[in-house]
Amino acid sequence: MNGSVPRHVAVIMDGNGRWARHRGLPRHAGHLEGMKAVRETVEGACATGVEILTLFAFSTENWKRPNDEIEALMGVLQTFARSERDNLVREGVAVRVLGELDRLDGSSRAAVRRIMDATRGGSRLLLNLLVSYGAREEIARAARELAVQAKDGVLDPEQIDTDTVASALYTGDLPDPDLLIRTSGEFRISNFMLWQLAYSELYITSVYWPDFTREDLFAAILDYQRRDRRFGRIVTG
Ligand code: IPE
Ligand code: IPE
Ligand code: MG
């Protein structure tokens, strides 16, 4: 029992398609409905004092989905950026969008830029949206960056340690997630934050993402507070 509120919560938002199928709706209806769960989770994070919320919105592998589905997901990103902007500014939420953003279409890239610019001053909650993101690609990119620095003579290869690598990731300036939540009952990581999750507590719920509420977030946090985080040590006393 540690009793503390996780400082950084990460979520693999999964199950939009199945949520829609169970209702006889097209998949994009599930993606649209998923925005409500994002709102719930942001409010729940602010209410509990979580400092960083990282949401996996679109993976590198999701580019392999059919075009109409990709367009629907990018449409949801743009709608979210437009419809949530004032709420997020008022709540003091700063949005950062991380991933291979040069793969996005022009209007999605513009929406990303606008929401980041508009919310830059937020100091209550940092909301990271991982879009066109894959952990292996992120690590390869960090390796490339460090290799260039070594080649240019500004980095001594002998000095590269785990902190050097961590700081070259998209999340370089952030603490690792304390708690990872995955919805829709899938027990896998799906190329999400492979480096940063080394010691995160995992919480899997069968709830489909569009049905996820702040109460579900509170339940995950309560479960986290019962965990004994040992980080490889033994418990003394
Ligand atoms: C999550 O829901 C959204 C993304 C992965 C982009 P899915 O679209 O994966 O929904 P399921 O897993 O097919 O139900
Ligand atoms: C993981 O969900 C990616 C996101 C939530 C954005 P997927 O639905 O793409 O993962 P798999 O294919 O079931 O592993
Ligand atoms: Mg899925």
Side-chain angles (χ1 to χ4, degrees):
M1 179 91 185
N2 66 65
S4 59
V5 172
R7 210 176 147 198
H8 184 174
V9 176
V11 187
I12 302 177
M13 311 186 286
D14 199 12
N16 296 354
R18 279 162 285 167
W19 180 93
R21 180 156 49 82
H22 286 297
R23 284 163 178 76
L25 298 169
R27 292 179 58 86
H28 67 76
H31 299 317
L32 205 55
E33 191 72 11
M35 286 205 316
K36 287 190 189 154
V38 173
R39 171 104 305 270
E40 286 277 325
T41 309
V42 166
E43 288 177 13
C46 287
T48 45
V50 167
E51 290 169 39
I52 305 160
L53 178 65
T54 298
L55 303 179
F56 197 11
F58 189 91
S59 73
T60 303
E61 290 75 18
N62 290 150
W63 287 115
K64 295 178 192 148
R65 293 190 181 193
N67 273 337
D68 60 342
E69 167 130 2
I70 293 173
E71 278 168 24
L73 285 160
M74 292 302 149
V76 169
L77 175 66
Q78 292 173 35
T79 304
F80 176 83
R82 196 174 48 242
S83 64
E84 281 289 331
R85 189 182 56 196
D86 293 348
N87 288 335
L88 295 170
V89 169
R90 186 166 1 94
E91 291 163 322
V93 179
V95 178
R96 265 203 228 169
V97 185
L98 308 172
E100 294 178 317
L101 302 182
D102 51 357
R103 294 185 71 177
L104 303 190
D105 62 273
S107 19
S108 300
R109 269 207 308 274
V112 162
R113 211 176 317 111
R114 275 198 302 272
I115 188 77
M116 291 203 290
D117 287 345
T119 61
R120 203 173 296 284
S123 57
R124 183 159 183 206
L125 176 74
L126 174 62
L127 174 61
N128 295 311
L129 298 179
L130 268 51
V131 177
S132 187
Y133 169 89
R136 287 180 168 180
E137 286 73 13
E138 176 187 38
I139 293 168
R141 176 179 169 272
R144 238 176 1 251
E145 211 170 90
L146 297 178
V148 168
Q149 290 175 23
K151 186 164 140 269
D152 292 346
V154 291
L155 177 70
D156 174 3
E158 291 299 324
Q159 301 297 319
I160 296 178
D161 59 12
T162 55
D163 286 342
T164 323
V165 176
S167 62
L169 302 175
Y170 291 122
T171 52
D173 54 344
L174 303 177
D176 290 338
D178 300 293
L179 171 64
L180 169 71
I181 299 171
R182 182 164 186 155
T183 59
S184 85
E186 303 293 354
F187 284 71
R188 57 175 171 267
I189 298 293
S190 303
N191 200 15
F192 182 59
M193 298 186 101
L194 295 175
W195 177 281
Q196 298 91 329
L197 293 174
Y199 263 104
S200 307
E201 296 296 327
L202 310 183
Y203 180 88
I204 291 162
T205 169
S206 58
V207 171
Y208 291 142
W209 177 248
D211 288 330
F212 193 84
T213 61
R214 72 186 73 198
E215 283 73 29
D216 293 307
L217 176 69
F218 299 158
I221 292 176
L222 282 171
D223 195 83
Y224 166 86
Q225 291 180 325
R226 286 194 292 270
R227 307 285 179 92
D228 185 12
R229 303 189 78 188
R230 290 190 284 275
F231 299 98
R233 299 186 181 95
I234 56 168
V235 182
T236 49

